[in-house]
Amino acid sequence: WEWFYEYREAYYCLQDFTERERDYYYHELEMRLTAYHPSLSFIIKFGNQNKKAELILTANGRADGMFYVSNLISIVPEIPKWKISGFIEPSLDIEAIKKGKDAPYKLQELDIKPSDIRWAPVDIDPNTYKYDLVFYLKTYPHFNQTFDEDRLLDYIYMILLDLLGEMYVSKSIGMGYYE
């Protein structure tokens, strides 16, 4: 935390930097977190004017990193202009999703609306009580390109983290499959 405290102002103003400078600072923080544990990552929500920025530490739902996120959060010092938290919290508007009026995630190769994702449990692990899920994307058959299904599952998983929250996903969801 001493290192982040020292560079807190640079990270607070990061959105004003050039792309090359931002990449440098993102890489620096990523390297420091993954040196602590390979599953760790972060999300920055930028503040404006007198509003605090937020640094969210995450294991992206991977169970092996949850302890390390909790450990780091337990020793966070007070850092001016920053709120430091752990784990991705649910953030999507369920009512908008139900109505199909949710905003799409603009991803590298395609756009995915959470309301276009369907899933069903296919198995449950009797030891962990985690569900394996099969996913279906309503809009996927309309794409004219072949697509890496592992990458598609990564995108769906990212949306699930925003929909259900990292703690729930980590405790309740095992494997995912695309049908």
Side-chain angles (χ1 to χ4, degrees), residues 1-11 79:
W1 288 117
E2 291 172 12
W3 178 86
F4 187 80
Y5 188 91
E6 183 178 338
Y7 290 95
R8 69 187 182 278
E9 197 64 38
Y11 280 94
I79 300 177

Side-chain angles (χ1 to χ4, degrees), residues 1 3-4 26-43 55-58 68-69 72:
W1 288 117
W3 178 86
F4 187 80
Y26 286 140
H27 179 74
E28 281 295 311
L29 184 52
E30 190 76 29
M31 293 303 295
R32 291 172 187 278
L33 288 172
T34 57
Y36 186 63
H37 191 274
S39 291
L40 296 184
S41 190
F42 66 95
I43 297 168
L55 175 65
I56 303 168
L57 299 183
T58 176
Y68 295 92
V69 171
L72 282 172

Side-chain angles (χ1 to χ4, degrees), residues 12-126:
Y12 188 82
C13 298
L14 206 55
Q15 61 190 353
D16 299 330
F17 288 16
T18 67
E19 184 176 348
R20 185 176 179 170
E21 291 168 324
R22 283 192 305 267
D23 288 347
Y24 169 80
Y25 282 100
Y26 286 140
H27 179 74
E28 281 295 311
L29 184 52
E30 190 76 29
M31 293 303 295
R32 291 172 187 278
L33 288 172
T34 57
Y36 186 63
H37 191 274
S39 291
L40 296 184
S41 190
F42 66 95
I43 297 168
I44 295 177
K45 294 183 178 179
F46 294 103
N48 49 19
Q49 296 170 341
N50 294 328
K51 188 177 176 188
K52 286 187 172 189
E54 183 176 11
L55 175 65
I56 303 168
L57 299 183
T58 176
N60 289 310
R62 291 188 290 273
D64 67 328
M66 303 301 255
F67 168 79
Y68 295 92
V69 171
S70 295
N71 191 32
L72 282 172
I73 292 302
S74 73
I75 59 169
V76 172
E78 182 67 30
I79 300 177
K81 297 185 179 180
W82 284 93
K83 174 186 174 189
I84 312 291
S85 61
F87 307 112
I88 298 168
E89 295 292 329
S91 61
L92 297 180
D93 181 349
I94 300 297
E95 292 305 313
I97 292 171
K98 286 180 184 178
K99 295 175 184 173
K101 298 189 183 291
D102 50 325
Y105 280 68
K106 304 275 187 195
L107 304 166
Q108 201 170 28
E109 301 91 349
L110 69 153
D111 296 348
I112 300 175
K113 290 177 65 171
S115 60
D116 289 340
I117 300 172
R118 302 291 184 264
W119 68 80
V122 291
D123 198 12
I124 185 168
D125 184 316

